[in-house]
Amino acid sequence: MKDRLAELRRRGYNRLYQPSALDPNQSGKIVEFSTPESLLSLDFDQPIFVLIDRLAISPDIRSRIVDAIETGYRESGEVQFHALAPASESLQNENGTKYRFSAAFECSTCHRAYREPEPRLFSFNNPYGACPRCQGFGNTIDFDPNLILPDRSRTLAQGAIAPWTTPSTAPSTAR
């Protein structure tokens, strides 16, 4: 972690952001990590984000927003926006909304990761894209024990095994 923070400082990133772990409706803390002592207020068991930019949204800063987004994707493959409500709005949602955009193929709720899509994943002819259960055939051949032994109280002589009692498997008496 120490090396990663030093690398971030060399690249010009001076601020870290840590969301509030106790109350998601509370805004997190912004820490300028110019000295090691400034990091003492962070909980390293919780997520910490590099703060790329703080912006007040207006039409004339579009290029600055685009630059911040491109930097986030280039550096980490992920961008998070924490939109704070203006002071003039009600304090009901004082910390606004959080938006997360990720280049990773994962669920945004449970963070389950998926493989990056490739053309061979969508081909039924390719075993790489085939269903592991049916192997791309669309059906499986399984035995249902309840169909093989429909009446478990019967003995073999009484015809307990149903497939053996069909005309095609019955013993031939005419020889």
Side-chain angles (χ1 to χ4, degrees), residues 37-59:
E37 294 80 24
S38 64
L39 300 174
L40 293 175
S41 66
L42 293 175
D43 180 4
F44 286 97
D45 292 331
Q46 298 297 322
I48 299 172
F49 301 96
V50 174
L51 185 62
I52 294 175
D53 208 342
R54 294 183 291 187
L55 306 166
I57 304 297
S58 66

Side-chain angles (χ1 to χ4, degrees), residues 49-155:
F49 301 96
V50 174
L51 185 62
I52 294 175
D53 208 342
R54 294 183 291 187
L55 306 166
I57 304 297
S58 66
D60 56 328
I61 63 163
R62 185 175 195 276
S63 63
R64 190 168 157 194
I65 294 171
V66 170
D67 287 343
I69 292 170
E70 287 177 349
T71 301
Y73 274 119
R74 184 176 58 248
E75 296 293 330
S76 70
E78 179 177 320
V79 175
Q80 289 196 8
F81 290 99
H82 293 255
L84 302 177
S88 61
E89 289 187 14
S90 78
L91 296 177
Q92 171 186 345
N93 189 14
E94 69 179 18
N95 295 310
T97 309
K98 298 175 184 178
Y99 300 98
R100 179 178 178 261
F101 301 96
S102 176
F105 293 100
E106 69 178 11
C107 175
S108 61
T109 306
C110 69
H111 301 291
R112 178 180 177 186
Y114 297 95
R115 292 188 293 199
E116 186 169 340
E118 304 175 28
R120 64 183 179 164
L121 277 176
F122 301 100
S123 172
F124 70 94
N125 282 342
N126 192 329
Y128 190 79
C131 166
R133 177 148 166 77
C134 72
Q135 298 177 345
F137 290 107
N139 57 22
T140 58
I141 299 174
D142 290 329
F143 297 107
D144 185 353
N146 294 325
L147 293 176
I148 295 171
L149 299 171
D151 185 0
R152 293 183 185 265
S153 65
R154 289 183 172 182
T155 66

